[in-house]
Structure formats: C-alpha cells, structure tokens
Amino acid sequence: MPVQHTESAPSRSPGLDRFNAAPSTRVETALLTCCGSRRWAQRLTAHRPYPNLDALLAAADEAGYDLPPADLAEALAAEVSPGLHDGAPHSAHLALRAAHAAYESRFGHVFVMCLDTFEPAERPDQVLAGIRARLGHDPDQERVVTADEMRRLARGRIIGLISAS
C-alpha cells in the first residue's frame, strides 16, 4: 500500500551517517523511542546502512505495515496518550481524561494520534475530535487506523532523531 509522505526531510545528513555507524544496541535503543516495538527497532537496525533518510523512512513504513498484533500491542504499551499543557483549564483536563478513558475501555489501549501537522493550540481540539470520531469505529477498523497513526508518529520521531544527531 503506497504511503504519501507529507514531511520534508533532508536526503543526506551527518545525523544519518552517525545513525548508520553507531553500535547496534545504541541504534536499537534510539529507535525504541520512535516506536516501542522491539522487532520493529531490530529490523531497522539490522538493515543499516541507509543511503538516505527517505530510504530509512520507507524501511520504517514497511516494518510498520508488517507489525503483527502482538508487536503493535508492544508499541502501544510504550505510548503515552496526547494530553494538555499544564496551564489548560481544569475542565479541559477532565474532558480529555474522560475521552481517553472511554477510548481505552473500548479498545484496550491508549489513544495515539500524530499531531505533527497541527499547531500546538489546535492539538487539544484535534485529540478530542479524533477520540470522538474513532470511538465509532469497530475494533478491526480502529486497529488499522491505530497502526497508521503509529507509523506516522514513528516517521516524525525518526526525522527528529536523525536531525538532532
């Protein structure tokens, strides 16, 4: 299934060179901060070196598409649901906690959503709207959406990892 890439990333960087040359255990640990599936991180680590960031992102997408349910569950267990900043009104925190609780009760895992394309001020509304919309999904439909959101999150985190290196 083709993936449309909306992020722009440099094709070659010193960060990618360090990523390719780093010891496997360090790379795997770093990748686990991008996606909590050990198998996903091991697969990406084992396929180094990557000629450019686009190749690494493509490999991450492919590994994400291949995640079996147990590995997706492992990745979700490492996630924290998107929240609000401390200065948000108490009522907003309560509403978001209630929405997260309803979602977790229905689907058995945390709600994940890639918010990279939204301004910080828009994120709380997007999370609430996302939870409300996705509560109407059946479990199979939500599993597909959740896996896609995990892939999007991992892509953004990899770009940050390589850019920060």
Side-chain angles (χ1 to χ4, degrees):
M1 172 184 207
V3 176
Q4 293 183 348
H5 305 292
T6 57
E7 300 92 349
S8 72
S11 60
R12 189 75 179 173
S13 72
L16 181 64
D17 292 337
R18 284 189 290 279
F19 176 86
N20 283 331
S24 293
T25 55
R26 198 167 99 204
V27 170
E28 186 178 321
T29 299
L31 286 170
L32 284 169
T33 68
C34 300
C35 176
S37 165
R38 187 158 302 283
R39 185 181 316 216
W40 178 89
Q42 289 169 342
R43 180 172 171 181
L44 291 178
T45 300
H47 287 98
R48 293 178 304 151
Y50 294 96
N52 54 48
L53 183 55
D54 288 338
L56 172 56
L57 294 174
D61 284 344
E62 183 180 333
Y65 283 119
D66 292 343
L67 279 182
D71 292 334
L72 180 58
E74 177 186 29
L76 287 167
E79 290 295 318
V80 175
S81 296
L84 299 174
H85 58 84
D86 291 337
H90 181 67
S91 60
H93 283 280
L94 289 175
L96 189 58
R97 270 197 299 270
H100 279 299
Y103 180 90
E104 290 177 26
S105 175
R106 173 148 169 74
F107 297 110
H109 59 79
V110 299
F111 174 81
V112 292
M113 180 178 189
C114 182
L115 298 167
D116 292 350
T117 60
F118 299 104
E119 295 296 323
E122 299 173 311
R123 291 175 181 172
D125 290 336
Q126 292 299 321
V127 170
L128 279 170
I131 291 172
R132 288 181 184 130
R134 289 168 55 186
L135 278 170
H137 291 173
D138 65 55
D140 289 336
Q141 181 183 20
E142 183 55 21
R143 194 171 8 266
V144 171
V145 172
T146 297
D148 189 50
E149 290 296 324
M150 287 297 299
R151 281 188 295 278
R152 291 178 64 215
L153 285 167
R155 288 177 63 77
R157 292 168 180 169
I158 289 170
I159 291 168
L161 177 71
I162 298 300
S163 298
S165 296

